[in-house]
Amino acid sequence: MVKICCIGAGYVGGPTMAVIALKCPSIEVVVVDISTPRITAWNSDHLPIYEPGLEDVVKECRGRNLFFSNDVEKHVADADIVFVSVNTPTKTQGLGAGKAADLTYWESAARMIADVSKSAKIVVEKSTVPVKTAEAIEKILTHNSKGIDFQILSNPEFLAEGTAIKDLYNPDRVLIGGRETPEGLKAVQALKQVYAHWVPEEKIICTNLWSAELSKLAANAFLAQRISSVNAMSALCEATGADVSQVSHAIGKDTRIGSKFLNASVGFGGSCFQKDILNLVYICECNGLPEVANYWKQVIQINDYQKSRFVNRVVASMFNTVAGKKIGILGFAFKKDTGDTRETPAIDVCRGLLVDKAELRIYDPQVPQAQIEKDLTMVKFDWENPVLVNHVSPVTLNQVSIVENAYEASKDAHGVCILTEWDEFKTLDFQKIYDNMQKPAFIFDGRNVVDPNKLRDIGFIVYSIGKPL
Ligand code: NAD
Ligand code: UGA
């Protein structure tokens, strides 16, 4: 029986390994993590992450050929293939602060693999890492390993949160990069055989290591760039009377452009787009390519602009002040169908409104109160001024309450902001909401989930991203 061990039981490690275990009953999969609460949760009825379909997969395989454990060293030592899926956040201090990837977790995992291994292993980079990381990992492994053969592969993950299980069942492609040596090619084949249990062969792309590592950063940069492009268009739409949904539809019909990922929004969030682009920017700078670095930096600058543009629109529309006004916030997660709030635009929008002294009532179907409070009070890292980490004024929670549903959030409110596109927001009884709000009643739709004309008929003053006012 082939044994797989995955280091890191997070949003990637957990679902990815659960699907491998489901699709490959002949493989034993153990997911390990240094966090005891995370592993305890994976072994309980309350999984540590919310992801549609995940619970069924875990229930079917857990205890059969899928295991979650804190005994990191034992399971790494036993494995033939070790996936490393630890977090790789942006560095907040020291050289490259604000841009470079922090590989502390990765390096400590690699050193541990070198220490505990007694047999040959394939080590798979699942985390998103800077191009050439495999070279550094190789050095750590081979210099500490008493002659044990390690083959490093890059196998970046392309799943999106909220659709992780669907994406893993039916990926657009699986990418495997390896050394172009006989041993490297053999390792690539071994990993390919794992995926071949359910992924058609023509969808498994094999490349050299550096192409695989860079393709992951490039894919996220291209995806984020589309959103910033359409968001930049949304500002022009508002200024000219064009409708961004109509523009997206019209350009998306061109098969060279394509229709996906053209939804204008209050800004993209999530743990990876900003982090991976900053990482790309840093690599460009280190390679003497400042023009290329500046090109990609613009994608994040437009995203920051879009979030502050939204806050400014709210304040300006409500007669230039929101001080003491109640604002209902619908949605806090960075997208629908996840409870994840990492880099969610809701943090910046809420903080912007709080600085202007608004009183917020926040509702999200999946994000717990404690998480929202933590996000709003944490020190916000400013990627453009990493030295001035503390420059964003702290907010106080006196102005914030977390409520149980959208109706409670909007009761007696002067305005409502929709910040996540949860399906339930599309079918709310907006007449009831209107009746219970202060007048004039404002709606600011940061996700284009409501029909502005219908709401205007009810009596609302409506602002929707990129739509005529
Ligand atoms: P995460 O923070 O949810 O999970 C990482 C886990 O690794 C944590 O539970 C942490 O405790 C554990 N860990 C850290 N160091 C460890 C060590 N030395 N030994 C054992 N466990 C350790 O992160 P994530 O969202 O799963 O992302 C992981 C990587 O995958 C990142 O590089 C990210 O860029 C990439 N990625 C994420 C997504 C996504 O949708 N979240 C998608 C594709 C790629
Ligand atoms: C993204 C990529 O889609 C995945 O392929 C990748 O594996 C992952 O990052 C990663 O490396 O972490 P994810 O961040 O989970 O996945 O979710 P997306 O669906 O890409 O959405 C990201 C953000 O963009 C969300 O805030 C979403 O609301 C926003 N978005 C997305 C838009 O504003 N408009 C769109 O048209 C699409």
Side-chain angles (χ1 to χ4, degrees), residues 426-443:
K426 293 180 189 152
T427 52
L428 289 170
D429 179 347
F430 281 100
Q431 182 67 56
K432 181 173 158 188
I433 288 180
Y434 179 79
D435 292 343
N436 289 323
M437 283 176 67
Q438 311 258 2
K439 309 293 176 319
F442 292 87
I443 286 221

Side-chain angles (χ1 to χ4, degrees), residues 77 81 90 97 110 176 193 202-203 207 212 241 260 399 445 447:
I81 303 178
T90 305
I176 305 175
Q193 272 169 26
E202 64 276 11
K203 285 193 172 182
T207 66
K260 292 182 182 163
Q399 296 157 253
D445 183 0
R447 295 289 186 168

Side-chain angles (χ1 to χ4, degrees), residues 275-421:
K275 153 178 96 64
D276 293 347
I277 294 177
L278 289 172
N279 186 350
L280 190 65
V281 165
Y282 186 67
I283 295 167
C284 293
E285 286 172 354
C286 291
N287 281 284
L289 302 168
E291 292 81 0
V292 185
N294 286 336
Y295 172 77
W296 288 110
K297 220 189 264 181
Q298 278 295 315
V299 172
I300 306 180
Q301 280 164 345
I302 285 288
N303 199 48
D304 286 342
Y305 165 72
Q306 188 76 346
K307 291 182 275 188
S308 58
R309 204 168 74 76
F310 187 86
V311 173
N312 293 346
R313 176 71 76 180
V314 174
V315 178
S317 307
M318 296 173 83
F319 319 113
N320 262 336
T321 175
V322 289
K325 289 182 182 165
K326 293 193 182 84
I327 299 184
I329 301 289
L330 304 191
F332 199 82
F334 81 96
K335 64 187 279 196
K336 73 170 181 175
D337 292 339
T338 177
D340 194 352
T341 59
R342 290 178 291 179
E343 299 296 337
T344 177
I347 297 176
D348 296 287
V349 171
C350 289
R351 292 173 77 115
L353 295 171
L354 288 170
V355 167
D356 244 300
K357 299 197 168 27
E359 285 179 23
L360 303 184
R361 256 195 247 137
I362 305 175
Y363 164 66
D364 187 284
Q366 280 299 332
V367 183
Q369 172 164 354
Q371 185 64 47
I372 296 177
E373 292 177 349
K374 189 172 160 209
D375 287 336
L376 290 179
T377 47
M378 74 185 172
V379 174
K380 177 89 170 81
F381 183 72
D382 179 355
W383 65 275
E384 285 200 285
N385 300 292
V387 186
L388 305 171
V389 173
N390 282 310
H391 93 284
V392 179
S393 17
V395 298
T396 93
L397 289 174
N398 302 343
Q399 296 157 253
V400 178
S401 45
I402 315 296
V403 297
E404 293 294 312
N405 59 57
Y407 298 105
E408 228 184 299
S410 48
K411 189 162 183 332
D412 294 326
H414 296 78
V416 166
C417 298
I418 302 175
L419 300 185
T420 312
E421 72 283 21

Side-chain angles (χ1 to χ4, degrees), residues 6-15 32-36 38-39 42 49 51 72 84-89 104-110 112 126-129 156-162 164 216 220 270-272 275-276 334 340 342:
C6 174
I7 306 176
Y11 285 88
V12 169
V32 297
D33 204 293
I34 41 174
S35 159
T36 307
R38 263 217 160 157
I39 292 298
W42 279 110
I49 60 175
E51 192 61 63
V72 180
V84 184
S85 186
V86 299
N87 33 334
T88 51
T104 313
Y105 303 104
W106 229 111
E107 187 174 334
S108 89
M112 184 269 299
K126 199 50 157 166
S127 306
T128 304
V129 290
E157 184 48 58
F158 296 101
L159 67 79
E161 287 176 33
K216 173 63 197 178
N220 274 0
S271 63
C272 293
K275 153 178 96 64
D276 293 347
F334 81 96
D340 194 352
R342 290 178 291 179

